[in-house]
Amino acid sequence: MKIKTITCHNVYNFGASLQAYALLTYLKNLGHDVEIIDYMPKYLSYNLWHISPKWNKNILLRLAFFAYVIPKRISQKKEREKFDKFTDEFLYLSKNRYSSIEELKEKVPLADIYFAGSDQIWNTYSQNGKDPSFYLDFAPSHSIKASYAASLSTSVINPDYEEQVKTWLSKLDYITVREKTGVKILNELGFNDVKVVLDPVFLLGKDKWSKIAEPTLFKEKYLLVYDQENNRNIKKNAIRLAKKYNLKIVAIESLYPMLYAHKRIRNTGPRDFLSLILNCDLCLTNSFHCIAFSIIFNKEFLLFPRTHQKVNSRMFDLLSSINLQNRIVETNFMYDSSEEINYSEVNEIINSNIIFSKNIINEIILIKNDKIQNYSSNKLSS
């Protein structure tokens, strides 16, 4: 089959790059001709001077933002180069780059099957979820249009977009989402045959991910911190746990300075991200994909709920599905290393879900096979 996927594949984000690679690679390993549609609308394209609305309210906030953030962004040039190298080496992109739904409709990237997903493509509180491209609105009617592990990210849909999203989704042949929360939201919109599947990163095994990880970046035993919002609770627990268990603190540093860490890793690419999780003793994070890879690599981890952005449902749903809600850190949480994760039980659940997710992909491909056979039979009879 000729298969094309569309997702947020090139936004300088670890999870975005790695989930795009995972779905592409899994489908290619099945023997199909697969490409990622190189869709880069303006709102996803890198802009040195981009400013979020909360910092754009008055001139003083804007000045403070630009004085701090722009030098940071300039200093991250090597990090972006690592992401670009990963894209060049590991992601098979369409020859044409598209920047709008109009361009996609004008010169449709043809395929037998289209997969929208994964990641936060249907988050209606961001531009992704308001973009018809991520609902495959450009795909020809005779093709199979499916979502794979699409995430709405939040626990409610933006009420201003409910009817529009309902219209777009009604044109899909198959809907799968990444979280149970997403099923509930879509059920309320009238879509009852929605399946929950695992994020694409789970479609590839530990060995596959280990092979593309960079060599060990830090030789001593360490506690890894990946904090996307400068969370005080992460800092407090990292310092306490590192001292208690005689671990060094290694932090992936991007926008926020991690001055409390023994080692601050800057200019980190997707392969470095894998390596840092693979070789750590304990991981403290508020990132979905950091949690996902901790599970894949069977690592001890603690999840700290996000406070600045309400995107916790995807992380809570994942941990709930494998009975690890006790890894969610509340304010007065006290971790004890004797309470290690029972990965024999977790892996059994995860492996069952992986089989289910792969079977769903097979179902979607078989739908297209049936269409082709029916078309051929009708043509011969006529």
Side-chain angles (χ1 to χ4, degrees):
M1 291 291 173
K2 182 174 281 189
I3 301 175
K4 296 198 186 296
T5 68
I6 186 168
T7 186
C8 305
H9 64 281
N10 192 14
V11 291
Y12 300 123
N13 175 279
F14 301 123
S17 294
L18 294 169
Q19 61 85 20
Y21 166 78
L23 183 58
L24 169 84
T25 302
Y26 177 71
L27 292 169
K28 286 182 73 67
N29 287 345
L30 292 179
H32 301 292
D33 177 7
V34 192
E35 280 185 344
I36 298 170
I37 297 171
D38 194 7
Y39 182 59
M40 290 295 295
K42 186 176 180 180
Y43 67 84
L44 288 180
S45 300
Y46 179 76
N47 178 2
L48 180 67
W49 298 96
H50 172 73
I51 181 170
S52 60
K54 71 176 182 179
W55 289 100
N56 202 20
K57 294 176 182 177
N58 59 61
I59 190 169
L60 290 177
L61 281 174
R62 284 196 293 275
L63 288 173
F65 177 86
F66 288 128
Y68 178 75
V69 172
I70 298 305
K72 273 282 187 181
R73 288 178 178 169
I74 292 172
S75 71
Q76 292 167 348
K77 181 182 177 184
K78 288 183 179 179
E79 179 177 304
R80 294 191 293 274
E81 288 174 348
K82 284 189 174 183
F83 274 89
D84 292 339
K85 185 178 180 182
F86 181 86
T87 298
D88 291 342
E89 289 184 8
F90 293 99
L91 302 186
Y92 292 84
L93 304 182
S94 60
K95 291 181 181 179
N96 293 324
R97 169 168 283 192
Y98 304 86
S99 62
S100 66
I101 184 64
E102 289 76 21
E103 288 185 8
L104 283 165
K105 287 182 174 181
E106 183 179 338
K107 195 171 184 180
V108 178
L110 296 176
D112 300 305
I113 302 172
Y114 297 86
F115 282 101
S118 173
D119 221 13
Q120 299 181 52
I121 57 168
W122 292 349
N123 181 350
T124 50
Y125 288 93
S126 72
Q127 285 299 110
N128 306 342
K130 304 169 187 175
D131 187 339
S133 303
F134 288 117
Y135 300 86
L136 302 174
D137 196 47
F138 60 89
S141 58
H142 61 269
S143 62
I144 292 297
K145 298 172 283 295
S147 65
Y148 182 82
S151 177
L152 291 87
S153 187
T154 56
S155 56
V156 293
I157 196 167
N158 186 333
D160 295 336
Y161 286 87
E162 280 189 7
E163 288 305 313
Q164 182 60 76
V165 168
K166 187 174 180 179
T167 300
W168 287 330
L169 291 177
S170 65
K171 299 177 184 177
L172 298 183
D173 298 291
Y174 217 110
I175 301 175
T176 71
V177 294
R178 196 171 61 183
E179 297 97 21
K180 289 181 179 178
T181 310
V183 173
K184 180 177 179 294
I185 292 171
L186 297 187
N187 285 168
E188 290 171 356
L189 287 183
F191 297 95
N192 297 315
D193 192 20
V194 180
K195 303 289 194 306
V196 178
V197 293
L198 289 173
D199 186 274
V201 298
F202 289 100
L203 297 174
L204 307 182
K206 175 183 177 180
D207 290 344
K208 180 68 175 178
W209 289 118
S210 299
K211 283 179 182 177
I212 70 168
E214 289 287 358
T216 304
L217 300 175
F218 197 72
K219 301 297 182 182
E220 298 181 67
K221 291 171 71 67
Y222 65 91
L223 174 159
L224 176 65
V225 170
Y226 180 45
D227 178 5
Q228 296 184 294
E229 61 176 19
N230 201 22
N231 187 301
R232 291 182 182 179
N233 205 17
I234 290 182
K235 176 182 176 180
K236 180 180 72 174
N237 279 277
I239 294 170
R240 179 177 63 82
L241 294 171
K243 184 177 181 180
K244 183 176 181 179
Y245 298 110
N246 194 28
L247 299 171
K248 296 295 185 183
I249 300 174
V250 175
I252 298 174
E253 184 175 282
S254 184
L255 184 59
Y256 303 104
M258 303 294 177
L259 300 177
Y260 61 89
H262 298 98
K263 181 72 173 178
R264 296 146 66 190
I265 307 292
R266 302 184 183 91
N267 302 320
T268 312
R271 299 177 71 187
D272 301 317
F273 180 72
L274 293 172
S275 176
L276 287 165
I277 301 171
L278 175 63
N279 295 292
C280 77
D281 291 271
L282 173 63
C283 180
L284 276 59
T285 189
N286 45 27
S287 155
F288 173 88
H289 279 102
C290 196
I291 292 297
F293 281 107
S294 295
I295 294 166
I296 290 169
F297 293 137
N298 285 193
K299 294 294 177 177
E300 293 294 317
F301 67 87
L302 297 173
L303 169 66
F304 294 77
R306 299 276 285 274
T307 57
H308 298 174
Q309 289 181 299
K310 304 300 183 182
V311 292
N312 291 314
S313 64
R314 55 191 180 138
M315 297 184 285
F316 292 173
D317 281 0
L318 173 60
L319 295 189
S320 174
S321 72
I322 53 177
N323 301 321
L324 286 182
Q325 299 96 317
N326 64 342
R327 296 284 126 174
I328 301 171
V329 176
E330 303 300 338
T331 305
N332 298 316
F333 176 87
M334 296 296 287
Y335 171 74
D336 186 339
S337 65
S338 65
E339 300 173 0
E340 292 184 350
I341 297 170
N342 184 340
Y343 268 110
S344 62
E345 291 182 2
V346 169
N347 290 338
E348 187 175 344
I349 299 170
I350 285 288
N351 289 336
S352 175
N353 290 336
I354 288 171
I355 291 170
F356 177 81
S357 300
K358 290 180 177 180
N359 285 340
I360 291 294
I361 290 175
N362 289 336
E363 276 186 35
I364 293 167
I365 292 170
L366 285 172
I367 291 172
K368 185 58 185 176
N369 280 332
D370 289 343
K371 268 196 172 184
I372 290 173
Q373 289 173 3
N374 290 336
Y375 174 77
S376 300
S377 297
N378 292 336
K379 194 170 182 181
L380 287 171
S381 63
S382 61

